Amino acid sequence: MTEDALEKSLDETLDRLHAEIKLVEDRRAKLDVLRKAGNAFPNDFRRKDFSSDLHQQYGKHSNEMLEAEPRVVNVAGRMMLKRVMGKASFATVQDMSGRIQLYIANDTAGAEVHDAFKHYDLGDILGAGGTLFRTRTGELSVRVTNLRLLTKSLRPLPEKFHGLTDQEQKYRQRYLDLITNENSRKVFITRSRIIQSIREFLVARDYLEVETPMMHPIPGGAAARPFVTHHNALDMQLYLRIAPELYLKRLMIGGMERVFEINRSFRNEGISTRHNPEFTMLEFYEAYQDYTYLMDLTETMLRELAAKVLGTTRITYQGREIDLAPPFERLTITQAIQKFHPEYTDAQLGDRSFLISTLHALGIACKPEDGIGGLQLALFDETTEHLLFEPVFIVDYPAEVSPLARRNDINPAVTDRFELYIAGREIANGFSELNDPEDQAARFLEQANAKEAGDVEAMHYDADFIHALEYGLPPAAGEGIGIDRLVMLFTDSPSIRDVILFPQLRQEN
């Protein structure tokens, strides 16, 4: 940017700031007048009607029908549009369900009310009573007979009401994004419906919703770096939950044979379009089932969710259609690699030296203790994962990277585990549970040794969980589904920040 352009940009920014300061000063002066007149922030107006209900019930009524049977309404919301004329004015108010137009005239509301309205500002929150009618242009409106200013807005809304133009400011000031952007409101309404529908799906199958601790003495249930905190009264170090898995399994040991938790978990890792340090996850477990049952159940769940929430099993994500109705494909790690990269032979994918040299050429570091399975997974992550657009279960994960999953009876080098990929990202992870306490202890020890060797994401040795396992965990299967990523998929959102109301951001200067 040239010096002249920089100076011009700075001048424009200062002009905008000065204009906003002036607007805020004017609004504060209006608030002072309101304070002197009485209660400036009343809380005795009771809304009886939502705008969407009125449009739904009376949207097809003619003006003659509305005049013949007057419908008295009480609405409230934020003023988003305003047109002041001589003896009559119009305003559009927005509530949680939508918008409706107000008609304020001297002959119905009174000259005093109308005059007061002329001093109201966009963003003010109003309460209005009156009757429904249609304007000459056919718009369903409220002919106002009483109008009150309920909350004075001291700051102007983003210009022209097209929402915030700066993407980061949308995340920092989500309240403004929600006020001005209908699409953002729809995303979070959809998110709420997805979570509610998941609950209904599992409860209908006799799952019990439970709550487990969010502060753990030992972080477990996933390979991740935890957030560390300190409990003053107990004088002990605690970790924010990285996963609820080990506590849910304890409940199964206790006889709760079908449990689920929609939980907040925390991982002290990178931030990206797919990752937020604080995220929402569904975990559910069922005794006397295996990972193949979970894959079938997951397909059914996603189809029912899509049909119930979106009204279709065909969804569009970033311009490409995904059909959840057909059976999901099931591939091993090597089968998936070869599907998209047929140049790799079975012999090459089973050759440790070849895998290491290939990964080095791709810029991927390998550790001396990495086995064939771990190297294959690293190659899959780098070359294939992002290509898995259609729903596909990747199965038979290596035991070396699956410390909580049951080994396969035929090939103990792999586990009865799957990950579901849709649109190039992991949506779910599930497996038949490891319920052999001695095998689990040995795998925890391997993880502890890896942590000692410098792997910050390796698991701790959890002696209390081993103690619980020794009482007997029934054969079971469990799964975790990333709620945020599922919402991204269902709402066609490119970033996880678009589906989290207040995503984590760098501190603003």
Side-chain angles (χ1 to χ4, degrees):
M1 185 179 286
T2 65
E3 186 174 339
D4 288 344
L6 183 63
E7 184 175 347
K8 181 181 178 181
S9 175
L10 180 60
D11 287 343
E12 291 175 349
T13 300
L14 288 174
D15 287 343
R16 285 197 301 271
L17 287 173
H18 289 148
E20 183 172 340
I21 290 171
K22 178 65 169 59
L23 286 172
V24 172
E25 289 175 348
D26 290 345
R27 293 187 178 206
R28 289 191 185 279
K30 292 179 181 179
L31 178 59
D32 287 340
V33 173
L34 293 171
R35 289 189 191 279
K36 291 174 182 176
N39 186 356
F41 293 90
N43 189 14
D44 57 354
F45 182 89
R46 299 295 172 257
R47 175 176 56 193
K48 296 179 181 177
D49 303 283
F50 286 102
S51 59
S52 64
D53 293 339
L54 295 176
H55 284 292
Q56 185 174 358
Q57 294 173 27
Y58 302 97
K60 296 182 179 180
H61 283 46
S62 66
N63 193 53
E64 290 73 20
M65 294 171 66
L66 294 171
E67 295 286 357
E69 296 183 18
R71 170 66 159 87
V72 178
V73 300
N74 261 29
V75 298
R78 189 180 299 274
M79 183 163 64
M80 303 299 294
L81 296 171
K82 177 183 178 183
R83 283 189 296 136
V84 174
M85 295 179 282
K87 296 182 179 180
S89 299
F90 291 92
T92 298
V93 294
Q94 176 177 290
D95 60 26
M96 64 182 287
S97 69
R99 295 182 175 188
I100 195 163
Q101 181 172 264
L102 307 181
Y103 171 76
I104 305 101
N106 288 352
D107 59 351
T108 52
E112 185 177 347
V113 169
H114 188 204
D115 184 61
F117 166 79
K118 294 177 182 179
H119 294 86
Y120 297 167
D121 295 298
L122 295 181
D124 287 352
I125 297 174
L126 312 180
T131 56
L132 291 179
F133 80 109
R134 286 199 180 277
T135 63
R136 292 178 181 175
T137 59
E139 183 169 354
L140 185 68
S141 304
V142 178
R143 182 181 284 110
V144 173
T145 55
N146 60 82
L147 181 70
R148 297 180 62 191
L149 175 59
L150 305 178
T151 301
K152 182 66 192 169
S153 173
L154 297 180
R155 293 188 177 275
L157 296 175
E159 190 177 3
K160 297 180 182 178
F161 321 112
H162 295 311
L164 300 175
T165 56
D166 185 289
Q167 190 66 40
E168 184 168 312
Q169 286 307 112
K170 288 185 179 182
Y171 304 143
R172 292 190 185 279
Q173 296 180 289
R174 181 67 81 185
Y175 44 91
L176 285 183
D177 181 39
L178 293 171
I179 290 172
T180 59
N181 188 339
E182 183 180 3
N183 287 334
S184 289
R185 294 195 297 275
K186 287 181 178 178
V187 164
F188 292 104
I189 291 170
T190 300
R191 180 187 176 105
S192 179
R193 293 185 63 200
I194 288 171
I195 292 173
Q196 181 61 29
S197 297
I198 287 172
R199 280 196 168 96
E200 292 170 357
F201 179 89
L202 292 171
V203 169
R205 287 161 176 78
D206 295 324
Y207 281 80
L208 181 68
E209 184 171 10
V210 297
E211 296 170 288
T212 62
M214 295 178 69
M215 293 191 295
H216 295 182
I218 296 175
R225 183 181 294 187
F227 286 95
V228 184
T229 187
H230 185 82
H231 194 293
N232 291 332
L234 297 177
D235 191 23
M236 64 182 293
Q237 182 170 275
L238 292 170
Y239 302 87
L240 293 186
R241 172 171 61 196
I242 58 175
E245 178 168 344
L246 300 186
Y247 282 94
L248 292 171
K249 289 180 181 177
R250 286 176 171 95
L251 295 180
M252 295 189 70
I253 293 168
M256 294 183 174
E257 295 176 348
R258 294 183 186 182
V259 293
F260 77 96
E261 183 172 10
I262 298 174
N263 64 89
R264 305 303 294 272
S265 291
F266 309 83
R267 297 181 184 177
N268 196 355
E269 298 169 348
I271 296 177
S272 72
T273 57
R274 301 184 183 192
H275 299 92
N276 192 70
E278 179 181 0
F279 60 98
T280 304
M281 181 166 54
L282 162 70
E283 285 212 11
F284 59 101
Y285 294 81
E286 182 169 345
Y288 311 109
Q289 293 293 357
D290 66 4
Y291 78 125
T292 59
Y293 165 82
L294 285 186
M295 286 189 278
D296 294 338
L297 184 67
T298 302
E299 288 192 39
T300 301
M301 180 191 295
L302 295 189
R303 289 187 193 111
E304 289 194 12
L305 286 178
K308 188 171 185 178
V309 175
L310 304 178
T312 178
T313 57
R314 291 180 180 269
I315 60 178
T316 300
Y317 188 75
Q318 301 300 288
R320 295 178 62 181
E321 186 177 277
I322 300 171
D323 190 354
L324 299 176
F328 296 178
E329 192 173 15
R330 302 183 185 189
L331 300 171
T332 66
I333 290 171
T334 55
Q335 286 171 344
I337 293 173
Q338 289 176 319
K339 177 178 179 178
F340 294 94
H341 306 281
E343 66 273 17
Y344 293 125
T345 66
D346 290 341
Q348 288 174 328
L349 292 177
D351 185 327
R352 190 171 189 275
S353 298
F354 174 82
L355 290 169
I356 290 174
S357 62
T358 302
L359 288 168
H360 281 165
L362 294 170
I364 307 300
C366 303
K367 293 174 284 191
E369 65 271 17
D370 286 340
I372 294 287
L375 295 171
Q376 290 172 344
L377 181 58
L379 183 63
F380 165 85
D381 289 342
E382 183 65 22
T383 64
T384 307
E385 175 183 322
H386 64 283
L387 301 174
L388 302 175
F389 199 82
E390 296 297 327
V392 56
F393 289 110
I394 303 300
V395 300
D396 300 348
Y397 273 73
E400 63 185 279
V401 296
S402 309
L404 298 169
R406 184 181 186 277
R407 293 182 190 271
N408 184 268
D409 288 334
I410 299 172
N411 180 7
V414 299
T415 58
D416 292 340
R417 175 186 170 193
F418 68 84
E419 287 190 355
L420 172 62
Y421 288 86
I422 306 178
R425 60 175 62 99
E426 177 196 341
I427 299 294
N429 177 28
F431 40 82
S432 299
E433 298 299 337
L434 174 58
N435 62 343
D436 179 343
E438 294 180 352
D439 189 359
Q440 184 66 83
R443 296 209 220 167
F444 273 163
L445 189 58
E446 290 174 3
Q447 290 284 306
N449 290 337
K451 184 171 284 292
E452 284 288 325
D455 186 348
V456 295
E457 293 187 354
M459 295 183 187
H460 292 253
Y461 189 98
D462 192 334
D464 182 76
F465 180 67
I466 297 299
H467 184 83
L469 270 185
E470 290 172 346
Y471 284 95
L473 171 67
E479 181 177 346
I481 296 178
I483 297 294
D484 305 310
R485 292 184 181 183
L486 187 61
V487 176
M488 288 172 64
L489 182 68
F490 278 27
T491 60
D492 193 17
S493 299
S495 172
I496 196 170
R497 296 178 183 181
D498 296 326
V499 301
I500 296 175
L501 281 167
F502 300 101
Q504 190 64 46
L505 301 169
R506 293 185 184 277
Q507 188 170 359
E508 192 172 26
N509 291 329

